[in-house]
Amino acid sequence: MNDLAPLLAPEGRALLDEVRGTAPADELAVATRLRREHPAELVSAALGQARLRQRAAAKFGAEDAERMFFTPNGVEQSTRASVAAYRAERLRALGVTSVADLCCGIGGDAIALARAGIRVLAVDRDPLTAAAARANADALGLDDLIDVREADVTAIDTAAYDAVFVDPARRGGRGRIFDPEAYSPPLSWAVGAALKAPHAALKVAPGIPHEAVPAEAEAEWISDGGDVKEAVLWFGTAPGAVRATLLPGPRTLLGRGLHDPEVRSVGRYLYEPDGAVIRAHLVAEAAEELDGGLIDPTIAYVTADTLRATPYATAYEITDRLPFNVKKLKALLREREVGILTVKKRGSAVEPEELRRKALPKPQGPHSVTVFLTRVAGAPTMLIGAPARAVTGAGAS
């Protein structure tokens, strides 16, 4: 499908309504039936769009996804709606009323910005992608706030806008691109565009090296539901600041420049920091709130003797500490009638699925445990326990 126009026409829209929710197993029968009355290419395009909408529901919600138009790359690379809404709210709170959204894709961020009351110029050089962004603005009733332009973003004059948002392409023909200068456009160009505006936000991969963050930028790592989604470089806010933000919430942990926590013996509780906290290098800040230390100088697990509520880490109560030994683990699981085994690892080369298969070949029993494959004071170790029962508390924000 290289042209959305047929799907936007009345016949195409009627077909989209008819194929909505079609299960993969039913596609052949549905296609055969519809091709008796409609062009085969249009039927294929409608079924393809229905599949994309089903995939997009996880990011955009079913209500919006069923009305929007997608490309395969657009579904894959779009910002999750909850993350886009959070970022749009930050810009609104900064007093931003207009944004130049460069590399807008199918318009996910433009939609969130418009819903925050911000006027948007959405720019993408790919004709099909720009057409999808335009169709989405219209489908969601936001076309009065979103002006979509098909153009090279490097040729756009952003002087008339309060802020610039850039989401460079981070995938190429061989998959993900890890070098920020290999983004399209390169990070250096995006930083240059950001420095010309009163405010700016650059979306980058969460694995961006900290040394690649410009001195003028604030760096923020964002997770949603425990999964790290992206990093954002903010300009016009707090240069040099580092933060980890957890959604829903939001809950934000600010960097305070703390030294690495001290290494301690494994206590009663083990805390697994949220991925955004780890990526932001704020484990020390989380450990200070927990009055905890590290189990090893190279491992981002925090240990403590007391249980404290925190949004920034998941707590586990540790019952056993063993040197890595599959036979001993197997015997312990059998003795305790374990039927469900969760395996987590950090600092171990062992694959969780492999250990699960060897240690619990025939799951039976009513109990469940969590095994952490890690290092303690440099030695391969298995820590065994279960999620701690705690009342969730509010953290810093």
Side-chain angles (χ1 to χ4, degrees), residues 60-352:
F60 291 88
E63 185 177 348
D64 279 353
E66 286 182 356
R67 293 186 288 165
M68 293 173 65
F69 293 84
F70 299 96
T71 66
N73 284 341
V75 173
E76 183 70 27
Q77 298 177 21
S78 291
T79 304
R80 183 177 288 267
S82 54
V83 179
Y86 162 74
R87 189 169 43 238
E89 178 56 29
R90 270 205 75 180
L91 286 167
R92 189 200 63 76
L94 290 169
V96 169
T97 61
S98 62
V99 171
D101 178 1
L102 308 180
C103 310
C104 70
I106 60 166
D109 284 284
I111 289 165
L113 291 164
R115 283 176 168 168
I118 297 172
R119 182 171 54 86
V120 186
L121 170 66
V123 184
D124 203 285
R125 69 181 179 183
D126 179 68
L128 180 60
T129 303
R134 191 174 293 109
N136 289 334
D138 178 66
L140 298 179
L142 299 169
D143 49 321
D144 58 332
L145 284 171
I146 301 174
D147 174 20
V148 179
R149 191 177 305 175
E150 179 191 326
D152 185 331
V153 297
T154 62
I156 298 297
D157 181 4
T158 62
Y161 296 86
D162 297 338
V164 168
F165 173 67
V166 189
D167 181 6
R170 295 180 300 284
R171 286 182 180 270
R174 297 185 178 180
R176 291 184 181 179
I177 296 171
F178 296 98
D179 177 7
E181 282 307 296
Y183 292 173
S184 179
L187 180 61
S188 55
W189 179 88
V191 170
L195 293 173
K196 295 176 184 175
H199 297 286
L202 311 184
K203 178 180 171 182
V204 294
I208 184 173
H210 280 235
E211 56 270 23
V213 175
E216 303 92 339
E218 168 198 337
E220 179 178 34
W221 279 262
I222 302 173
S223 69
D224 188 12
D227 295 328
V228 183
K229 295 302 179 184
E230 64 182 57
V232 185
L233 305 182
W234 293 91
F235 294 79
T237 54
V242 177
R243 63 169 65 199
T245 295
L246 283 57
L247 302 176
R251 303 286 189 190
T252 295
L253 183 64
L254 295 173
R256 300 191 295 280
L258 301 181
H259 295 296
D260 290 342
E262 63 178 8
V263 176
R264 300 185 188 179
S265 298
V266 177
R268 183 176 177 182
Y269 297 100
L270 186 76
Y271 292 87
E272 182 181 27
D274 184 90
V277 172
I278 295 173
R279 293 279 194 174
H281 295 180
L282 298 181
V283 173
E285 281 76 0
E288 184 180 69
E289 289 196 0
L290 298 166
D291 191 23
L294 298 180
I295 63 170
D296 184 278
T298 63
I299 303 295
Y301 283 139
V302 175
T303 186
D305 293 318
T306 56
L307 182 60
R308 296 189 180 184
T310 175
Y312 305 118
T314 303
Y316 295 83
E317 186 170 7
I318 300 302
T319 57
D320 300 87
R321 170 183 170 180
L322 301 172
F324 180 78
N325 186 300
V326 177
K327 288 184 178 179
K328 287 185 178 180
L329 177 62
K330 186 175 181 179
L332 184 147
L333 298 177
R334 184 170 57 248
E335 177 188 334
R336 297 188 184 172
E337 299 181 311
V338 171
I340 300 174
L341 175 63
T342 300
V343 182
K344 293 175 171 283
K345 74 166 191 171
R346 186 160 292 154
S348 171
V350 178
E351 289 301 323

